[in-house]
Amino acid sequence: MVWAPPQQFLDEQSQIKALFNIGAGVDALMNLRLPPTTMVVRLDDAGMSVQMAEYVCHALIRHFREFDHYEADVAQGKWSYRRPRLRADYPVGIMGLGVLGQRVAQAVAQFEFPVMGWSRSPKQVEGVSCFAGAAQLPDFLAASKVLVCLLPLTDDTRDILRLETLSQLQIGGYVINVARGAHLVEQDLITLLDSGYLAGATLDVFREEPLRPLIRSGLIRKSP
């Protein structure tokens, strides 16, 4: 059972018949030399989908209900009113419709947000407007105000969250990345946040973990 094993381990265990990867993604194994007869087994769920759905719904609702602003007001001793938002104005786009992505989409739909999904190949998910392939990616992004990334990390998806794609979201958009840090070009996100085009982001993963203080100060902002 492994998670991001070093090459030395695999070289020393040349008789391994099977590797059980204790995570949904197998990108950590892609650049390793495996014994030719080794079978790789990955987890489809193992309880992760409900945890992912909880995390995404928490981030989504915290942003939608403007809890950051209320928290900032409390810290300053203020008692303020904010006009309730309409869920119809915050369509949620899920990038990746595998086991985890479908579970997250279904959870978000329970809160009556419009839900879209995008995947490499066509999928059908009840209650979700599905888009597929590179040709439909622009339409998917343009229809989304909140973007959730649950894609596997491949050569095709690396850096997929960059200036070109993120600027196609609706103005005031919000990004939630719970996949891999390498999906996101972090400086492009900062540029769009500083310009006001995007309202914010929740990042569960980074290219460099743990973050160095200089990077941390540039990525993490307190709400006004």
Side-chain angles (χ1 to χ4, degrees), residues 163-182:
L163 192 65
E164 175 190 353
T165 51
L166 295 178
S167 60
Q168 295 180 58
L169 297 174
Q170 296 178 14
I171 295 175
Y174 195 84
V175 176
I176 302 172
N177 186 18
V178 287
R180 293 288 187 265

Side-chain angles (χ1 to χ4, degrees), residues 86-204:
L86 299 177
R87 290 172 181 82
D89 294 335
Y90 283 80
V92 180
I94 312 290
M95 299 186 81
L97 289 175
V99 173
L100 301 185
Q102 291 188 34
R103 182 65 177 85
V104 169
Q106 291 165 353
V108 170
Q110 289 297 309
F111 291 99
E112 301 183 8
F113 289 93
V115 182
M116 281 79 62
W118 180 83
S119 54
R120 183 180 61 179
S121 56
K123 298 281 182 70
Q124 290 186 343
V125 182
E126 185 177 357
V128 178
S129 299
C130 295
F131 299 75
Q136 293 186 348
L137 181 58
D139 290 340
F140 164 78
L141 294 170
S144 303
K145 187 149 191 175
V146 178
L147 184 66
V148 181
C149 182
L150 278 157
L151 292 168
L153 182 61
T154 66
D155 289 341
D156 291 334
T157 64
R158 187 178 300 274
D159 298 334
I160 194 169
L161 303 179
R162 57 186 183 274
L163 192 65
E164 175 190 353
T165 51
L166 295 178
S167 60
Q168 295 180 58
L169 297 174
Q170 296 178 14
I171 295 175
Y174 195 84
V175 176
I176 302 172
N177 186 18
V178 287
R180 293 288 187 265
H183 284 123
L184 174 66
V185 180
E186 293 161 354
Q187 187 55 56
D188 286 357
L189 172 64
I190 293 172
T191 297
L192 291 169
L193 291 172
D194 286 343
S195 72
Y197 189 86
L198 294 182
T202 294
L203 306 180
D204 182 53

Side-chain angles (χ1 to χ4, degrees), residues 8 18 29 55 63 69 71 89 93 112 123 140 152 179 212:
Q8 181 180 351
L29 302 177
Y55 188 101
H63 171 63
H69 292 277
E71 188 175 288
D89 294 335
E112 301 183 8
K123 298 281 182 70
F140 164 78
R212 290 180 286 115

Side-chain angles (χ1 to χ4, degrees), residues 48-58 100 103-105 107-108:
M48 289 185 293
S49 64
V50 67
Q51 295 176 4
M52 195 67 75
E54 289 172 342
Y55 188 101
V56 170
C57 288
H58 175 271
L100 301 185
R103 182 65 177 85
V104 169
V108 170

